[in-house]
Amino acid sequence: MSEVSVDARLIGIIGKPHGIKGEITVMLLTDYPKTIKSGDTLFFDEKCKKKIEVGSIRWKKVRRYYIAVIKFKDIDSRNDAENLKGASLFRSVKDSPELKENEYWVDDIINCLVYTKNNIFVGKVINVEKFAANDNLTVKIENKDLDIRNLDSSVLYIPVIESYIESMNLKDKKIILKKIPEYI
């Protein structure tokens, strides 16, 4: 069972206004940006209390990447848009896209307990870092008796690839490793 009750997931940060009619640039943090559509309800808080409706969304190319330009309902001027700058945007968990097999939400992985395949406790996942080749679990080592050679840190970085991960049971918040990375 999850230690943290999540009502919504962070999907973006509101940037500067775009034009004079209330459009706003949004830095989207989701891997599923195209699932945000006109008419969707987004929130300014994790408990889904302060809501705002997407009026329209379009994409603007900036150098080599695209940013979202969103027009929210009832935000009709540059001044209204300026007041939202820096706000976090959340999407309700129930409105999140369906995941494929072996895909996980980062907030479901955080706080999972990590064990070796011999059922030796290693520690707890405190972060998931996204890199070009693969994601890495950042595990805070909590087992002081664990003998890991050349380890000078209290954290362990584990690539989320088949060579290192035996299983991920998010219901029980438990991750089993095939092996501890040998590069440490």
Side-chain angles (χ1 to χ4, degrees):
M1 204 62 176
S2 177
E3 292 179 20
V4 179
S5 173
V6 178
D7 295 328
R9 292 190 166 90
L10 179 66
I11 62 162
I13 308 291
I14 294 179
K16 62 184 182 178
H18 186 78
I20 61 170
K21 296 182 179 178
E23 289 184 312
I24 304 169
T25 59
V26 178
M27 180 179 65
L28 292 174
L29 307 173
T30 176
D31 287 338
Y32 304 96
K34 300 288 186 177
T35 63
I36 301 167
K37 305 276 187 231
S38 178
D40 286 356
T41 299
L42 301 178
F43 301 91
F44 292 119
D45 63 318
E46 289 181 85
K47 293 297 177 187
C48 301
K49 301 280 187 226
K50 300 180 215 164
K51 64 182 176 179
I52 192 163
E53 187 177 333
V54 176
S56 64
I57 183 169
R58 62 187 174 91
W59 301 93
K60 180 179 179 198
K61 188 170 186 175
V62 178
R63 295 183 193 95
R64 289 178 271 150
Y65 63 94
Y66 288 88
I67 62 167
V69 178
I70 298 178
K71 169 70 174 83
F72 292 107
K73 293 215 171 155
D74 300 325
I75 304 296
D76 297 318
S77 71
R78 186 175 183 89
N79 288 340
D80 292 343
E82 188 70 44
N83 292 333
L84 297 177
K85 187 175 180 179
S88 297
L89 278 177
F90 296 86
R91 177 174 25 208
S92 172
V93 169
K94 66 179 178 53
D95 295 334
S96 297
E98 287 290 320
L99 297 178
K100 298 174 187 163
E101 187 177 344
N102 294 324
E103 288 185 337
Y104 309 98
W105 297 111
V106 170
D107 53 0
D108 290 337
I109 296 172
I110 301 295
N111 292 324
C112 280
L113 301 179
V114 178
Y115 294 85
T116 66
K117 64 181 173 184
N118 298 328
N119 208 29
I120 298 170
F121 177 64
V122 176
K124 186 185 289 188
V125 178
I126 58 171
N127 195 13
V128 178
E129 297 186 30
K130 191 172 196 73
F131 294 108
N134 54 269
D135 295 345
N136 278 345
L137 301 178
T138 305
V139 178
K140 184 176 193 285
I141 299 172
E142 295 182 4
N143 182 348
K144 302 301 180 201
D145 297 330
L146 194 62
D147 184 28
I148 304 175
R149 66 180 187 278
N150 301 326
L151 184 66
D152 296 330
S153 175
S154 63
V155 296
L156 182 62
Y157 298 97
I158 302 172
V160 184
I161 57 176
E162 197 174 325
S163 303
Y164 295 101
I165 306 293
E166 178 78 30
S167 66
M168 295 178 82
N169 182 337
L170 299 185
K171 183 178 179 196
D172 295 335
K173 300 294 276 181
K174 187 174 183 178
I175 297 173
I176 307 293
L177 301 178
K178 283 185 178 176
K179 62 181 179 178
I180 291 179
E182 55 277 327
Y183 54 81
I184 56 173

